[in-house]
Amino acid sequence: MNLPDTKIIMFTEGDANSVDTWSNIPYFLSQSLEAAGAVVYRSDIGPASSPKAEKLLFLCVDFAAHCLRKVVGNNPIYELNRTSVYYQSVLRKMKNALAQHPDVKNCLTLTFSHSGALLSKCPPRTFMLCDWPIEYLIKVQQNRTPGILEKLAIKRQIKEILAADYVITLFPDVQEFMERTYKRKILYLGNVINSKLIDFPEKETIEKKARNNHYLFIGRQKYINSAISLVQAAEHYNKNHETKITIDIIGLTKEMNPLFSSDYVQCYGYLSKENEEQEKLYYNLILHAKAIVNTTEGWNGMSSLIEAMYYDTPVIIVPNPNIIKTFGNQCDFGVYCKKDTCKAVLEAILTIQAMPNKDYVLTCQQAHKKVETFTWTNYAKKLISLIKND
């Protein structure tokens, strides 16, 4: 049954009906909101939804940005979605979409660059939901000063953020940064496992993990140093132990580093959850993993970590502020490393391998317990509650 006053027009940069758009978030959020009783109108404001003439203009802007990067290097980062040309294009798309749904009271944008609040005819309530603003990405994650064009994009974002009725971030330390920087209320509704949840036999899964010696890494090229540390640690471990461990790597290919061609390493590259066979392989690797490892210092792919934790997978990680705020300083669901080094990862692997079966089972169970409420169903209910109680 549809709830009153919960018609929502949701703007995304990409097709919200595709699980490959922005790490699955638009797809699962819109599906969960509808399951909770909301009516969701999806609107793609990304480049793919532009008319041919505008796409040609975007190609020209992209080429100019590419040339500029050749001159000044990759930092600052000049991209299409940080330009005023793109910003104005999105405003036109939002205006047209809102005109088609004049009875909608809630505008939800899955970006911090556009709120709808600055349009002449916007819905009564505007919600922004995203991971982090450009300013956080540059100053905190990349630890650098914004370039001139980036400062213009940041200025536009700040104007939109200050105008929106509600601003929601997916991470607690981003909430603190934004409240401190923008002097306004920022909401954090908790974390969420960013994928569909499959049924699995917990007892059998843990028994399987306990018997296996497969360590799993999930991440893109930005996390490659952590994958290298893991492979190096496995090499040292296998030289000194009769029982060998193996490394499964999702997101990277063996061509990216000579170590990845070792006989105890298997690289799978990117596995799409829109492909049935690749999705099956993805979850099979998680369900068989002794532990998931990403010891990148700072941001470390938290989404894939909490997803693996749901399936009783212990972690080996270097804790960042988000990890500490979410799970605490003590790690009873795996091992906290101090650094992203071969030595630190090897020590963590030795800790996992040396666990008595009873302790390992408890560690697996704790991993699941820490995240069992992080579902899209619960997250959508929180958002619906926010909309209804406005």
Side-chain angles (χ1 to χ4, degrees), residues 231 253-265 267:
V231 172
T253 63
K254 66 180 182 180
E255 290 78 19
M256 292 180 174
N257 190 279
L259 288 173
F260 296 166
S261 296
S262 302
D263 56 7
Y264 53 89
V265 180
C267 292

Side-chain angles (χ1 to χ4, degrees), residues 114-320:
H114 311 278
S115 67
L118 299 177
L119 295 172
S120 57
K121 294 182 180 180
C122 70
R125 294 185 290 264
T126 53
F127 301 79
M128 306 177 85
L129 190 156
C130 199
D131 44 14
W132 48 70
I134 298 172
E135 192 168 10
Y136 173 91
L137 173 67
I138 293 172
K139 292 182 177 180
V140 178
Q141 289 196 11
Q142 298 176 351
N143 192 29
R144 62 180 178 85
T145 301
I148 295 174
L149 296 182
E150 288 175 324
K151 287 179 180 178
L152 294 175
I154 290 172
K155 186 177 180 180
R156 286 192 293 269
Q157 270 202 345
I158 292 174
K159 192 174 181 180
E160 295 281 0
I161 289 168
L162 294 178
D165 295 310
Y166 297 93
V167 181
I168 307 164
T169 177
L170 297 174
F171 301 104
D173 80 315
V174 179
Q175 178 193 29
E176 290 185 359
F177 172 87
M178 293 181 73
E179 288 190 337
R180 184 174 65 250
T181 305
Y182 306 135
K183 310 299 181 186
R184 67 152 295 166
K185 178 67 176 177
I186 305 295
L187 299 175
Y188 169 65
L189 303 182
N191 218 309
V192 64
I193 299 165
N194 197 15
S195 63
K196 74 175 183 181
L197 300 176
I198 63 172
D199 294 327
F200 70 104
E202 185 172 26
K203 186 174 182 294
E204 293 176 19
T205 297
I206 294 176
E207 289 175 351
K208 192 185 303 177
K209 289 175 178 291
R211 292 193 302 269
N212 288 337
N213 292 293
H214 306 309
Y215 286 78
L216 177 65
F217 171 91
I218 303 176
R220 295 170 291 165
Q221 189 161 5
K222 64 186 291 187
Y223 304 123
I224 193 171
N225 288 339
S226 172
I228 292 171
S229 296
L230 173 59
V231 172
Q232 290 173 333
E235 181 181 16
H236 283 281
Y237 182 92
N238 289 341
K239 283 181 179 178
N240 297 288
H241 295 82
E242 185 176 344
T243 300
K244 310 302 180 184
I245 65 173
T246 59
I247 307 301
D248 293 314
I249 297 178
I250 298 174
L252 304 175
T253 63
K254 66 180 182 180
E255 290 78 19
M256 292 180 174
N257 190 279
L259 288 173
F260 296 166
S261 296
S262 302
D263 56 7
Y264 53 89
V265 180
Q266 181 66 53
C267 292
Y268 297 91
Y270 174 72
L271 297 178
S272 171
K273 292 177 182 175
E274 282 202 315
N275 181 295
E276 186 176 342
E277 288 301 315
Q278 291 182 21
E279 181 187 51
K280 183 178 180 181
L281 174 59
Y282 180 89
Y283 285 113
N284 187 56
L285 290 170
I286 289 178
L287 292 172
H288 283 78
K290 188 94 168 185
I292 183 170
V293 184
N294 191 332
T295 50
T296 303
E297 297 177 27
W299 190 255
N300 58 358
M302 190 170 177
S303 294
S304 58
L305 291 172
I306 64 173
E307 180 184 18
M309 287 170 63
Y310 184 84
Y311 299 105
D312 297 303
T313 313
V315 303
I316 296 176
I317 54 177
V318 174
N320 58 40

